[in-house]
Amino acid sequence: MNRTQPLVLGIESSCDETGVGIVRGDTLLANTVSSSMDEHVRFGGVIPEIASRAHLDAFIPTLEQALDTAGVTLDEVDALAVTSGPGLAGALMVGVCAAKALSLATGKPLYAINHLVAHVGVGVLDGGVLPENLGALLVSGGHTEILRVRSLTDDVELLGSTIDDAAGEAYDKVARILGLGYPGGPVIDKLAREGDPKRIRFPRGLSQPKYMGSAEAPGPHRYDWSFSGLKTAVARCVEQFEAADEPLPVADIAASFQEAVADVITAKAMLACTEHGISNLLLGGGVAANSRLRALTEERCAEHGISLRVPPVSLCTDNGAMVAALGAQVVMAGGQPSGIEFAPDSSMPVTSVHL
């Protein structure tokens, strides 16, 4: 197997995107994604059983398209990589089983990859080698976390995370409250540009002193987030306007909600970075497409002397290229294949970069 510039095929199926990506070393050759989002719209969120069935239908066409785009055959591939967790159990199982079948059929080594760390690893495809003193702020529909990355392939530490809803989930729930449909992120982002972000002061969860503590005596949730209370605050706000029989200022509520999310995420991320000597930050995950989050992260990184890297939106959302990218890094670092005995782990911790 070529360990200097390996040709790696990556498979992603942790939620509602079926992704197959192909990279050679740190060069992207193909990034094909099939989304089942339209099938979930009427439910207002991802239905795991529907997502799993959609992965079954989409996998072979997505695989064939990726190979065609990259101009390679399965025989030429050096290794396979697949998301083994975290994610929806049934959805993960489809991708893992497909990867194991390909490994058995082709004899190619298989690497079980951590979905969250892959969101960091994708950075090598857009800017090359990741810098030292690296942190990663991952914000998506299922995850909101701040990581310290000492080594992309074997030393990743979780500094803080959401204790309830992820930021993306909060967007979807607030959009439902406001009657804006699903998914909530893009429509709230667009609507917020027309509203006043200062009209309503929504809560910033876990920012009170009892949760924060100090650098010398950190509180229990110093770098953690909570968005369930924010969602409830939006619901109570809407109820108050309706009870008073006043017009609902949807754009102002959207803007004020979005400001609360971006403010607390970036404030805590900056705190974690400065207190852990992190001088370089990567922003990833689907919510990294949010205009206010991107702008405020850039602004606060500049204030704190922290360099910021944000991959293109197509590489921030769930995709197979990020799995292939991390898989290639593991191969080049001399990591051993996972074999086919491993099981998908819906709660796989970031400390397990690969199995």
Side-chain angles (χ1 to χ4, degrees), residues 120 135-139 144-147 225 265-266 268-270 273 281-285 288 293 297 308:
V120 185
L137 176 59
L138 306 181
V139 190
T144 304
E145 280 131 346
I146 180 74
L147 314 177
W225 296 277
I265 286 178
T266 54
K268 289 209 168 196
M270 292 303 100
C273 287
L281 183 67
L282 183 142
L283 174 63
L293 179 62
T297 304
L308 176 65

Side-chain angles (χ1 to χ4, degrees), residues 17 33 45 53 67 83 87 96 104 133 170 178 210 232 238 244 255 260 277 287 302 304 310 334 352:
E17 283 97 3
V33 178
R53 292 178 181 275
L67 290 168
T83 294
V96 167
L104 284 171
N133 300 323
L178 296 176
K210 65 179 179 179
T232 302
V238 170
V287 183
H304 290 82
V310 187
S352 296

Side-chain angles (χ1 to χ4, degrees), residues 29-311:
L29 302 181
N31 181 28
T32 304
V33 178
S34 173
S35 175
S36 63
M37 182 180 293
D38 290 346
E39 299 179 45
H40 305 281
V41 169
R42 65 192 178 101
F43 300 102
V46 175
I47 305 301
E49 178 65 19
I50 292 176
S52 300
R53 292 178 181 275
H55 288 309
L56 282 170
D57 293 337
F59 179 72
I60 295 299
T62 307
L63 171 65
E64 291 175 341
Q65 185 179 341
L67 290 168
D68 183 62
T69 300
V72 301
T73 66
L74 277 174
D75 286 340
E76 296 175 273
V77 170
D78 291 307
L80 305 169
V82 64
T83 294
S84 57
L88 301 175
L92 289 169
M93 192 173 296
V94 175
V96 167
C97 288
K100 289 181 178 181
L102 280 179
S103 179
L104 284 171
T106 63
K108 306 295 182 181
L110 176 59
Y111 291 79
I113 296 299
N114 188 300
H115 171 87
L116 295 175
V117 184
H119 273 299
V120 185
V122 78
V124 304
L125 302 179
D126 180 58
V129 177
L130 295 175
E132 295 183 354
N133 300 323
L134 178 66
L137 176 59
L138 306 181
V139 190
S140 71
H143 306 279
T144 304
E145 280 131 346
I146 180 74
L147 314 177
R148 176 161 59 179
V149 185
R150 293 189 181 91
S151 168
L152 180 62
T153 58
D154 61 15
D155 193 350
V156 179
E157 178 186 359
L158 177 66
L159 298 180
S161 66
T162 178
I163 65 170
D164 41 55
D165 290 347
E169 286 178 288
Y171 269 88
D172 290 338
K173 291 175 179 178
V174 166
R176 191 179 311 145
I177 292 168
L178 296 176
L180 300 176
Y182 174 86
V187 66
I188 287 179
D189 191 14
K190 182 179 180 180
L191 195 59
R193 296 169 195 169
E194 305 169 10
D196 178 2
K198 296 181 179 179
R199 177 166 179 181
I200 304 161
R201 173 70 184 185
F202 286 125
R204 276 62 167 164
L206 301 183
S207 59
Q208 301 92 334
K210 65 179 179 179
Y211 297 120
M212 296 291 292
S214 63
E216 295 73 24
H221 296 294
R222 188 166 179 77
Y223 310 127
D224 293 334
W225 296 277
S226 171
F227 298 106
S228 62
L230 173 58
K231 169 202 66 181
T232 302
V234 173
R236 297 293 86 81
C237 175
V238 170
E239 289 173 359
Q240 288 169 10
F241 276 100
E242 292 176 343
D245 198 25
E246 296 179 11
L248 191 65
V250 178
D252 290 345
I253 293 175
S256 298
F257 161 77
Q258 179 159 281
E259 190 65 22
V261 173
D263 180 26
V264 74
I265 286 178
T266 54
K268 289 209 168 196
M270 292 303 100
L271 186 66
C273 287
T274 55
E275 292 185 352
H276 288 83
I278 293 169
S279 54
N280 301 284
L281 183 67
L282 183 142
L283 174 63
V287 183
N290 180 271
S291 63
R292 183 55 181 152
L293 179 62
R294 290 169 79 102
L296 194 54
T297 304
E298 183 176 346
E299 177 185 321
R300 288 183 167 171
C301 278
E303 290 173 357
H304 290 82
I306 297 170
S307 72
L308 176 65
R309 183 183 294 189
V310 187

